[in-house]
Amino acid sequence: MYAQMIKSEETYEDPKKLMAFQARIDDGDRIEPKDWMPKGYRKTLIRQIGQHAHSEIVGQLPEGNWITRAPSLERKAILLAKVQDEAGHGLYLYCAAETLGVSRDELTEMLLNGQMKYSSIFSYPALTWADMGVIGWLIDGAAILNQVPLQRTSYGPYARAMVRICKEESFHQRQGFDIMIKMVNGTAEQKHMAQDALNRLWYPSLMMFGPPDAESVHSEQSMRWKIKINSNDELRQKFVNQTVPQAEYLGLSIPDINLNWNERKQSYDFSQPDWSEFFDVLEGNGPASVDRIEARQAAWEDGAWVREARIAHAEKKNMAILAAE
Ligand code: BYC
């Protein structure tokens, strides 16, 4: 179905319907699953919501790997709850994508065969316990900045999924910052681990917001349709402005010699990440890219019996209903 949509993308759309649709968006109307929508709008949403869902699910892997090694029972319970939340976020988002006529199985297939992406940040490994702190502090912090405006996105099921997700992300961000506070007030070795995690994950965190606006192929149309509310660069700047004082509070240094408060802009000047590295990661060449897809592939194969059992159960139920009629 999704493949058919891509093929028919160029086909004619009634200009009157297109204009009426844009007028609804401009008026701030919510678009619901049964409403008429341009093929490009549907396709963009499937791409963005699908990739967002995949990011939540793949995003469980680096943290899931640390549950057994969490330093206390309390930290273990908190991390477990957080990782379970990410699974829930993935499920809300797959459900929102399904309202657009694509199945979760199709989306998963596209992740596994490389047709669909997941957030670049999860192609980096989590090497120490301090990475759990930085993931919560920076990665969930970046996710909140990106997702809070998405609560006002034009597609109803996506906007509603975001409301619950954002509440949980706030807890995730705080637990990450709490780990960082503990680490920086611990031994010299713990503080060093915290700084090292920040050094490794700072630029990958900046990449989460997507390429610079000038290279963002989808932004203009997505913003016209209010699928996206802010540009990639706007959110990246907001993230830097928000994070620098937090790093100062922790007594950690952002690994950027060009970081400077710009009085005129009332914002920080900062160095851009290495964008060639970003595009390379998107091609599947990140340090943990192969591991991530292999893990998802194994999970998909391990879960085959559950899918088969559910289909068999549904068929049995339908037969019973038919027999009773
Ligand atoms: N990683 O035209 P652009 C989480 C792709 S999970 C990978 O600017 P767009 C969490 C982009 O897809 C949070 N790919 O695109 C989970 C496009 O390629 P395609 C995940 C990226 O869509 C567990 C191309 O680059 N959040 O927080 O207008 C534990 C050109 O880009 C990335 C979301 O998914 C990237 N970083 O803007 C802890 C938020 N950036 O598709 C935490 C929803 C760009 O044409 N998504 N690309 O092949 C969005 O807001 C937007 O899709 C983006 C990109 C801002 C990410």
Side-chain angles (χ1 to χ4, degrees):
M1 158 117 194
Y2 185 66
Q4 277 167 3
M5 237 146 49
I6 294 173
K7 267 193 216 140
S8 60
E9 190 197 334
E10 302 297 321
T11 55
Y12 174 82
E13 305 245 44
D14 182 344
K16 274 196 198 140
K17 281 188 175 172
L18 284 175
M19 275 171 63
F21 180 82
Q22 190 60 50
R24 285 191 65 191
I25 299 273
D26 296 343
D27 283 352
D29 262 16
R30 278 270 160 85
I31 308 301
E32 296 299 337
K34 290 189 174 155
D35 295 348
W36 184 86
M37 60 184 84
K39 293 183 186 75
Y41 179 83
R42 187 185 296 274
K43 184 183 152 202
T44 303
L45 279 171
I46 290 176
R47 180 185 63 80
Q48 181 167 321
I49 302 174
Q51 294 187 164
H52 195 163
H54 296 326
S55 306
E56 300 284 356
I57 298 299
V58 176
Q60 290 181 287
L61 296 169
E63 290 177 300
N65 193 29
W66 275 92
I67 292 171
T68 53
R69 291 176 286 167
S72 68
L73 184 61
E74 195 188 4
R75 288 288 178 205
K76 204 185 287 277
I78 294 170
L79 190 60
L80 193 60
K82 178 184 191 296
V83 173
Q84 284 173 342
D85 284 352
E86 311 299 357
H89 298 176
L91 294 185
Y92 309 149
L93 289 162
Y94 284 128
C95 288
E98 281 186 323
T99 65
L100 292 154
V102 62
S103 73
R104 188 172 153 190
D105 287 5
E106 285 175 288
L107 292 168
T108 305
E109 209 175 301
M110 285 189 275
L111 169 72
L112 296 179
N113 70 20
Q115 264 179 280
M116 276 185 106
K117 300 182 169 72
Y118 60 90
S119 182
S120 51
I121 189 74
F122 301 118
S123 284
Y124 291 84
L127 300 180
T128 71
W129 175 251
D131 290 32
M132 297 304 100
V134 171
I135 288 178
W137 171 35
L138 296 188
I139 300 180
D140 286 290
I144 293 171
L145 277 176
N146 171 278
Q147 290 171 176
V148 164
L150 288 178
Q151 295 176 105
R152 291 180 283 116
T153 193
S154 59
Y155 188 57
Y158 192 24
R160 289 189 287 273
M162 278 303 130
V163 173
R164 175 122 181 227
I165 291 178
C166 284
K167 286 196 178 123
E168 292 175 351
E169 297 291 18
S170 303
F171 151 64
H172 296 174
Q173 205 259 357
R174 278 161 188 228
Q175 70 82 39
F177 198 68
D178 187 59
I179 293 177
M180 296 309 286
I181 291 174
K182 275 275 179 333
M183 298 292 288
V184 300
N185 290 303
T187 62
E189 198 183 345
Q190 284 170 318
K191 185 160 185 187
H192 174 76
M193 276 167 69
Q195 181 64 56
D196 173 64
L198 173 58
N199 292 349
R200 282 183 288 104
L201 293 170
W202 172 251
Y203 288 101
S205 301
L206 295 184
M207 293 174 190
M208 280 182 75
F209 298 95
D213 290 352
E215 290 177 60
S216 167
V217 282
H218 301 295
S219 278
E220 197 186 330
Q221 181 61 68
S222 288
M223 288 175 77
R224 205 172 305 132
W225 276 331
K226 296 189 187 160
I227 289 175
K228 238 171 133 165
I229 310 295
N230 303 91
S231 82
N232 300 354
D233 286 334
E234 265 170 35
L235 290 177
R236 197 173 359 260
Q237 180 72 63
K238 220 170 161 185
F239 174 74
V240 174
N241 290 354
Q242 167 185 296
T243 309
V244 173
Q246 295 170 347
E248 279 166 5
Y249 176 83
L250 291 170
L252 297 174
S253 332
I254 303 279
D256 179 358
I257 49 166
N258 297 315
L259 190 72
N260 242 318
W261 177 252
N262 183 322
E263 196 56 40
R264 186 184 50 81
K265 274 190 351 189
Q266 286 293 298
S267 272
Y268 284 95
D269 291 329
F270 61 96
S271 301
Q272 290 292 311
D274 176 353
W275 289 112
S276 62
E277 178 182 313
F278 169 77
F279 288 113
D280 207 29
V281 168
L282 262 48
E283 292 292 310
N285 301 320
S289 302
V290 172
D291 285 359
R292 300 295 185 232
I293 292 299
E294 277 179 4
R296 290 313 306 153
Q297 182 73 47
W300 180 248
E301 285 162 16
D302 288 350
W305 69 272
V306 179
R307 295 191 295 277
E308 282 160 18
R310 289 192 54 152
I311 291 168
H313 178 69
E315 278 169 359
K316 234 173 148 181
K317 253 178 120 178
N318 284 343
M319 299 260 282
I321 292 169
L322 282 176
E325 277 173 3

